[in-house]
Amino acid sequence: IYSITPIMKELTYKQLVESDIFDLIGAPKSISKEEKLALILKMYQTVENRVIAKIMDKLSDSEMKEFDRKMQLGQKEAFEYLKAKNIDFNRLVLEESIILKTELADLAQKQGITK
């Protein structure tokens, strides 16, 4: 679906998906657990924001209000609503996670951070 930028051509798609993000971005082995958790939280928030933006692009204003209402009832109802609208939430999360991982690895490589 998405192409990997030319700078990442050394990595196969499988390697990109299976590699630890901290290795890809050249994080020092001495990085603390707290620093790792903080980075993971930032990455999670970025993916979450991107997924929400994709959902908003696919739903009308009234559908978005209905989705918000269903989210207040519970995630199961909200995810069923998205499924009924042919929106695969899990696929969006996976796609955006891979895109972010690619962007971070590419940025680290361009900055000469990684090996």
Side-chain angles (χ1 to χ4, degrees):
I1 295 173
Y2 296 94
S3 63
I4 297 173
T5 57
I7 192 107
M8 294 299 299
K9 65 184 173 207
E10 312 79 48
L11 288 176
T12 65
Y13 180 78
K14 183 178 184 205
Q15 289 170 322
L16 179 68
V17 171
E18 292 178 354
S19 295
D20 181 278
I21 185 64
F22 296 104
D23 290 338
L24 284 175
I25 64 172
K29 298 294 180 201
S30 61
I31 189 170
S32 72
K33 184 177 180 179
E34 292 79 20
E35 290 171 314
K36 276 188 175 182
L37 290 174
L39 283 170
I40 290 169
L41 179 60
K42 287 219 178 260
M43 288 183 273
Y44 172 82
Q45 290 169 336
T46 299
V47 169
E48 181 180 54
N49 289 338
R50 290 178 178 188
V51 168
I52 290 168
K54 292 265 176 142
I55 290 170
M56 290 175 73
D57 285 346
K58 295 176 185 281
L59 298 177
S60 68
D61 289 344
S62 62
E63 289 171 329
M64 197 62 204
K65 286 178 185 173
E66 181 65 14
F67 174 67
D68 286 340
R69 190 181 72 71
K70 293 202 181 282
M71 276 297 285
Q72 291 174 359
L73 296 173
Q75 283 188 345
K76 184 179 180 192
E77 290 83 357
F79 292 148
E80 286 175 3
Y81 181 75
L82 291 178
K83 189 175 181 180
K85 297 291 180 184
N86 293 318
I87 298 173
D88 186 338
F89 179 82
N90 291 331
R91 183 178 177 96
L92 288 175
V93 170
L94 178 63
E95 288 173 355
E96 291 304 321
S97 297
I98 291 170
I99 291 168
L100 180 61
K101 194 172 186 181
T102 303
E103 290 170 349
L104 291 173
D106 185 41
L107 180 62
Q109 206 167 45
K110 284 180 181 175
Q111 296 299 317
I113 299 170
T114 60
K115 306 167 196 88

